[in-house]
PDB file of all heavy atoms in Angstrom:
ATOM      1  N   VAL A  14      -5.499  12.941  -1.126  1.00 94.00           N
ATOM      2  CA  VAL A  14      -6.190  12.411  -2.302  1.00 94.00           C
ATOM      3  C   VAL A  14      -5.647  11.047  -2.721  1.00 94.00           C
ATOM      4  O   VAL A  14      -6.411  10.139  -3.061  1.00 94.00           O
ATOM      5  CB  VAL A  14      -6.092  13.408  -3.473  1.00 94.00           C
ATOM      6  CG1 VAL A  14      -6.741  12.833  -4.727  1.00 94.00           C
ATOM      7  CG2 VAL A  14      -6.755  14.740  -3.111  1.00 94.00           C
ATOM      8  N   GLN A  15      -4.328  10.881  -2.683  1.00 94.00           N
ATOM      9  CA  GLN A  15      -3.702   9.729  -3.330  1.00 94.00           C
ATOM     10  C   GLN A  15      -3.209   8.628  -2.395  1.00 94.00           C
ATOM     11  O   GLN A  15      -3.108   7.470  -2.824  1.00 94.00           O
ATOM     12  CB  GLN A  15      -2.500  10.207  -4.159  1.00 94.00           C
ATOM     13  CG  GLN A  15      -2.856  11.124  -5.312  1.00 94.00           C
ATOM     14  CD  GLN A  15      -3.257  10.357  -6.571  1.00 94.00           C
ATOM     15  OE1 GLN A  15      -3.313   9.140  -6.572  1.00 94.00           O
ATOM     16  NE2 GLN A  15      -3.553  11.098  -7.637  1.00 94.00           N
ATOM     17  N   ALA A  16      -2.852   8.939  -1.166  1.00 93.00           N
ATOM     18  CA  ALA A  16      -2.179   7.949  -0.316  1.00 93.00           C
ATOM     19  C   ALA A  16      -3.104   6.801   0.085  1.00 93.00           C
ATOM     20  O   ALA A  16      -4.322   6.933   0.101  1.00 93.00           O
ATOM     21  CB  ALA A  16      -1.630   8.631   0.940  1.00 93.00           C
ATOM     22  N   GLY A  17      -2.477   5.672   0.396  1.00 94.00           N
ATOM     23  CA  GLY A  17      -3.204   4.533   0.960  1.00 94.00           C
ATOM     24  C   GLY A  17      -3.592   3.481  -0.044  1.00 94.00           C
ATOM     25  O   GLY A  17      -3.350   2.294   0.176  1.00 94.00           O
ATOM     26  N   TYR A  18      -4.196   3.885  -1.154  1.00 92.00           N
ATOM     27  CA  TYR A  18      -4.673   2.933  -2.158  1.00 92.00           C
ATOM     28  C   TYR A  18      -4.120   3.288  -3.526  1.00 92.00           C
ATOM     29  O   TYR A  18      -4.251   4.436  -3.977  1.00 92.00           O
ATOM     30  CB  TYR A  18      -6.200   2.928  -2.210  1.00 92.00           C
ATOM     31  CG  TYR A  18      -6.772   2.155  -3.388  1.00 92.00           C
ATOM     32  CD1 TYR A  18      -6.653   0.771  -3.448  1.00 92.00           C
ATOM     33  CD2 TYR A  18      -7.408   2.809  -4.434  1.00 92.00           C
ATOM     34  CE1 TYR A  18      -7.165   0.061  -4.529  1.00 92.00           C
ATOM     35  CE2 TYR A  18      -7.932   2.107  -5.517  1.00 92.00           C
ATOM     36  CZ  TYR A  18      -7.803   0.731  -5.560  1.00 92.00           C
ATOM     37  OH  TYR A  18      -8.299   0.026  -6.615  1.00 92.00           O
ATOM     38  N   THR A  19      -3.475   2.327  -4.188  1.00 93.00           N
ATOM     39  CA  THR A  19      -2.966   2.519  -5.539  1.00 93.00           C
ATOM     40  C   THR A  19      -3.647   1.509  -6.459  1.00 93.00           C
ATOM     41  O   THR A  19      -3.489   0.293  -6.258  1.00 93.00           O
ATOM     42  CB  THR A  19      -1.440   2.319  -5.591  1.00 93.00           C
ATOM     43  OG1 THR A  19      -0.817   3.243  -4.692  1.00 93.00           O
ATOM     44  CG2 THR A  19      -0.913   2.545  -6.995  1.00 93.00           C
ATOM     45  N   PRO A  20      -4.407   1.959  -7.444  1.00 92.00           N
ATOM     46  CA  PRO A  20      -5.104   1.015  -8.336  1.00 92.00           C
ATOM     47  C   PRO A  20      -4.112   0.153  -9.115  1.00 92.00           C
ATOM     48  O   PRO A  20      -3.048   0.627  -9.520  1.00 92.00           O
ATOM     49  CB  PRO A  20      -5.899   1.921  -9.271  1.00 92.00           C
ATOM     50  CG  PRO A  20      -5.928   3.259  -8.617  1.00 92.00           C
ATOM     51  CD  PRO A  20      -4.686   3.359  -7.801  1.00 92.00           C
ATOM     52  N   THR A  21      -4.476  -1.094  -9.323  1.00 90.00           N
ATOM     53  CA  THR A  21      -3.683  -1.963 -10.181  1.00 90.00           C
ATOM     54  C   THR A  21      -4.092  -1.729 -11.636  1.00 90.00           C
ATOM     55  O   THR A  21      -5.092  -1.065 -11.915  1.00 90.00           O
ATOM     56  CB  THR A  21      -3.922  -3.437  -9.827  1.00 90.00           C
ATOM     57  OG1 THR A  21      -5.326  -3.713  -9.917  1.00 90.00           O
ATOM     58  CG2 THR A  21      -3.441  -3.734  -8.414  1.00 90.00           C
ATOM     59  N   ASN A  22      -3.333  -2.269 -12.558  1.00 92.00           N
ATOM     60  CA  ASN A  22      -3.645  -2.144 -13.982  1.00 92.00           C
ATOM     61  C   ASN A  22      -5.004  -2.798 -14.263  1.00 92.00           C
ATOM     62  O   ASN A  22      -5.184  -3.997 -14.060  1.00 92.00           O
ATOM     63  CB  ASN A  22      -2.552  -2.824 -14.812  1.00 92.00           C
ATOM     64  CG  ASN A  22      -2.742  -2.610 -16.296  1.00 92.00           C
ATOM     65  OD1 ASN A  22      -3.197  -1.547 -16.715  1.00 92.00           O
ATOM     66  ND2 ASN A  22      -2.410  -3.613 -17.095  1.00 92.00           N
ATOM     67  N   GLY A  23      -5.962  -1.981 -14.691  1.00 93.00           N
ATOM     68  CA  GLY A  23      -7.303  -2.495 -14.949  1.00 93.00           C
ATOM     69  C   GLY A  23      -8.155  -2.649 -13.713  1.00 93.00           C
ATOM     70  O   GLY A  23      -9.301  -3.110 -13.794  1.00 93.00           O
ATOM     71  N   GLY A  24      -7.624  -2.263 -12.550  1.00 91.00           N
ATOM     72  CA  GLY A  24      -8.381  -2.365 -11.299  1.00 91.00           C
ATOM     73  C   GLY A  24      -9.265  -1.152 -11.088  1.00 91.00           C
ATOM     74  O   GLY A  24      -9.202  -0.176 -11.846  1.00 91.00           O
ATOM     75  N   PRO A  25     -10.105  -1.176 -10.042  1.00 93.00           N
ATOM     76  CA  PRO A  25     -11.004  -0.042  -9.787  1.00 93.00           C
ATOM     77  C   PRO A  25     -10.231   1.215  -9.409  1.00 93.00           C
ATOM     78  O   PRO A  25      -9.316   1.155  -8.588  1.00 93.00           O
ATOM     79  CB  PRO A  25     -11.876  -0.534  -8.629  1.00 93.00           C
ATOM     80  CG  PRO A  25     -11.083  -1.608  -7.976  1.00 93.00           C
ATOM     81  CD  PRO A  25     -10.288  -2.256  -9.063  1.00 93.00           C
ATOM     82  N   ARG A  26     -10.590   2.345 -10.029  1.00 92.00           N
ATOM     83  CA  ARG A  26      -9.931   3.619  -9.691  1.00 92.00           C
ATOM     84  C   ARG A  26     -10.309   4.061  -8.287  1.00 92.00           C
ATOM     85  O   ARG A  26      -9.481   4.564  -7.539  1.00 92.00           O
ATOM     86  CB  ARG A  26     -10.340   4.701 -10.703  1.00 92.00           C
ATOM     87  CG  ARG A  26      -9.683   6.067 -10.406  1.00 92.00           C
ATOM     88  CD  ARG A  26      -8.167   5.952 -10.517  1.00 92.00           C
ATOM     89  NE  ARG A  26      -7.465   7.104  -9.976  1.00 92.00           N
ATOM     90  CZ  ARG A  26      -7.089   7.230  -8.706  1.00 92.00           C
ATOM     91  NH1 ARG A  26      -7.405   6.294  -7.839  1.00 92.00           N
ATOM     92  NH2 ARG A  26      -6.399   8.267  -8.304  1.00 92.00           N
ATOM     93  N   GLN A  27     -11.571   3.896  -7.930  1.00 91.00           N
ATOM     94  CA  GLN A  27     -12.006   4.238  -6.572  1.00 91.00           C
ATOM     95  C   GLN A  27     -11.679   3.075  -5.644  1.00 91.00           C
ATOM     96  O   GLN A  27     -11.784   1.906  -6.027  1.00 91.00           O
ATOM     97  CB  GLN A  27     -13.518   4.518  -6.553  1.00 91.00           C
ATOM     98  CG  GLN A  27     -14.116   4.856  -5.188  1.00 91.00           C
ATOM     99  CD  GLN A  27     -13.476   6.057  -4.542  1.00 91.00           C
ATOM    100  OE1 GLN A  27     -12.393   5.960  -3.984  1.00 91.00           O
ATOM    101  NE2 GLN A  27     -14.153   7.205  -4.616  1.00 91.00           N
ATOM    102  N   MET A  28     -11.278   3.406  -4.428  1.00 92.00           N
ATOM    103  CA  MET A  28     -10.946   2.382  -3.441  1.00 92.00           C
ATOM    104  C   MET A  28     -12.124   1.418  -3.246  1.00 92.00           C
ATOM    105  O   MET A  28     -13.239   1.853  -2.964  1.00 92.00           O
ATOM    106  CB  MET A  28     -10.618   3.064  -2.117  1.00 92.00           C
ATOM    107  CG  MET A  28     -10.183   2.133  -1.012  1.00 92.00           C
ATOM    108  SD  MET A  28      -9.965   3.058   0.524  1.00 92.00           S
ATOM    109  CE  MET A  28     -11.694   3.319   0.964  1.00 92.00           C
ATOM    110  N   PRO A  29     -11.914   0.118  -3.399  1.00 93.00           N
ATOM    111  CA  PRO A  29     -13.034  -0.819  -3.284  1.00 93.00           C
ATOM    112  C   PRO A  29     -13.490  -1.025  -1.844  1.00 93.00           C
ATOM    113  O   PRO A  29     -12.679  -0.964  -0.913  1.00 93.00           O
ATOM    114  CB  PRO A  29     -12.465  -2.119  -3.860  1.00 93.00           C
ATOM    115  CG  PRO A  29     -10.995  -2.010  -3.645  1.00 93.00           C
ATOM    116  CD  PRO A  29     -10.660  -0.549  -3.767  1.00 93.00           C
TER     117      PRO A  29
END
Side-chain angles (χ1 to χ4, degrees):
V14 177
Q15 296 275 2
Y18 170 69
T19 302
T21 56
N22 186 35
R26 180 63 192 89
Q27 179 58 281
M28 183 185 75

